[in-house]
Amino acid sequence: MEVHVQRSTILAPHAHPLKEVPLTIFDLFASNINIAVLFAFTAPTPSNTEIIEGLSKTLVHFPLLTSQLDYSRLRRRPCLVVGGKGGGALVVEATVDADLSDFLPLEPSADFHLLHPPTEETHHLFQVQLNRFKCGGLVVATITHHRVADGQSMSTFFVAWGETIRGTPITSLPVYDQSWIKPRSPPKCEFQHWDLEFVRVPPYRNGSTSNQKDEDPSKITNILLRYSSEFITTKLKPKTKGKYTTFETVLAHLWRKITMARGLDDRRHTMIRVTVNGRPRMRPPVPNEFVGNLVLNAYPESNVKLLLQGGVERAAKIIHDAIRRIDESYFQSIIDFGAMHGEDDLVPVYDTDGDVLSPNLEVDSWLRFRFQEVDFGGGGKLCAFLPDLGAFRGFGHLRPGFGAGWGFKCCCRVV
């Protein structure tokens, strides 16, 4: 794939008053990494000028995406600086000497890194590259720093961007109210958060950690698994008597299959780190349009022998029970934890993992996000959506698929 960069532009922050927004405990828990995704649209599509103008107008409502991260020790807690000098969103325009149809359906490929802006430009928390194919097709590749927003937030943003390009009002305006992130008086931690969400000491000593495992990235390969609605409905759901959600059922199936493929000893334990959206769990519930991070993890675990002998139903129950435990009281507990340890050097557990998670897994659900609703107009249609998972062995996610049946896709690293 030959990609030719034509020009780069920085959309400067709009004239917002200078404001410092401290990172919440949920922002600090998020991985300190960039998240990259690809949207592919068939021709015809709006011009680059129309898309960039639409982006500029949308960013007025999402100013955190043009802010700057400040980790200065002069502050009690890292913060986002809105409206200051610098910042802005990076926009790259490029052309590709090929037809989009040559790459459909999108499969994980190292070549797709060419379609993304350079990730070393970490100064910009939101970056986008518009890739025009010879046939008129368009791939919009974006990079967003995870400490600014989670998947739910970004799906709200992308839908709003498409609406702005099409000249329609934004149907779901972002919500920034953080009044619900309020510790009790006095704060009280009812659950253990050290070593589950955060570690006590910075993980890096002389460039490594005691529990960090790394592997040559070239030996780790993305794979894409497709599960049709029919397979889930007629093959998997009957095994659980329909008692569990689609996510819990498919994840139970994957957990057992991956554990078998790894050939783990029967006496070992295996665990899945599962992301849990706190918006519907808070009381009162937080709107889906809340922009920021509001995700914690559940940790279903099992002895390998029991996991493989117990079948899909038992595995789904383990997952279901672990997710249910991450309820409103758990989210309130970590809010209090943040109040008690706000001046500590909080390091999320993600920073200690390395890129080999075996015998464990991390699997996220994107099934309820709105990425498949993104519509840039012009007559073309969204025909593919693909996140870049990075080089982590044992990481994956479930998301809605494109095409007949709207089944489900799972992206994961081979084990």
Side-chain angles (χ1 to χ4, degrees), residues 13-61:
H14 292 272
H16 291 280
L18 182 64
K19 182 179 180 181
E20 295 179 2
V21 181
L23 297 185
T24 70
I25 191 65
F26 302 103
D27 297 329
L28 293 172
F29 175 60
S31 303
N32 189 24
I33 60 174
N34 290 303
I35 304 297
V37 298
L38 295 171
F39 296 90
F41 297 91
T42 58
T45 58
S47 67
N48 283 6
T49 298
E50 293 172 299
I51 293 173
I52 295 171
E53 288 179 353
L55 173 60
S56 180
K57 293 176 181 178
T58 307
L59 289 172
V60 173
H61 302 284

Side-chain angles (χ1 to χ4, degrees), residues 211-230:
N211 64 336
Q212 185 180 24
K213 296 177 289 183
D214 292 299
E215 188 172 283
D216 182 352
S218 65
K219 295 181 179 180
I220 304 177
T221 305
N222 265 320
I223 61 173
L224 186 68
L225 306 176
R226 292 176 173 84
Y227 291 96
S228 69
S229 297
E230 180 183 6

Side-chain angles (χ1 to χ4, degrees), residues 133-154:
F133 284 72
K134 188 170 58 176
C135 62
L138 172 70
V139 168
V140 179
T142 69
I143 294 174
T144 311
H145 199 287
H146 204 339
R147 292 256 165 104
V148 180
D150 57 18
Q152 179 73 56
S153 301
M154 290 311 297

Side-chain angles (χ1 to χ4, degrees), residues 168-187:
T168 63
I170 296 176
T171 55
S172 298
L173 287 169
V175 174
Y176 294 98
D177 179 23
Q178 295 185 0
S179 61
W180 51 269
I181 309 180
K182 182 179 180 180
R184 290 166 289 194
S185 182

Side-chain angles (χ1 to χ4, degrees), residues 5-9 48 90-94 117-118 128-131:
V5 173
Q6 305 297 313
R7 64 188 65 85
S8 297
T9 307
N48 283 6
L90 175 66
V91 180
V92 179
E93 298 176 69
V128 58
Q129 184 164 316
L130 306 177
N131 301 279

Side-chain angles (χ1 to χ4, degrees), residues 251 254-256 258-259 262 270-274 299-300 357-363 393-396 412-413 415:
L251 181 54
L254 283 170
W255 190 14
R256 297 180 72 252
I258 292 174
T259 301
R262 283 172 164 171
T270 174
M271 175 269 289
I272 317 175
R273 192 160 57 196
V274 181
Y299 297 92
L357 304 182
S358 182
N360 301 323
L361 297 169
E362 179 178 342
V363 181
R393 197 177 78 175
F395 173 78
C412 59
R413 286 282 167 177
V415 294

Side-chain angles (χ1 to χ4, degrees), residues 273-286:
R273 192 160 57 196
V274 181
T275 54
V276 179
N277 186 357
R279 290 167 177 80
R281 288 168 170 78
M282 299 298 295
R283 294 293 179 270
V286 176

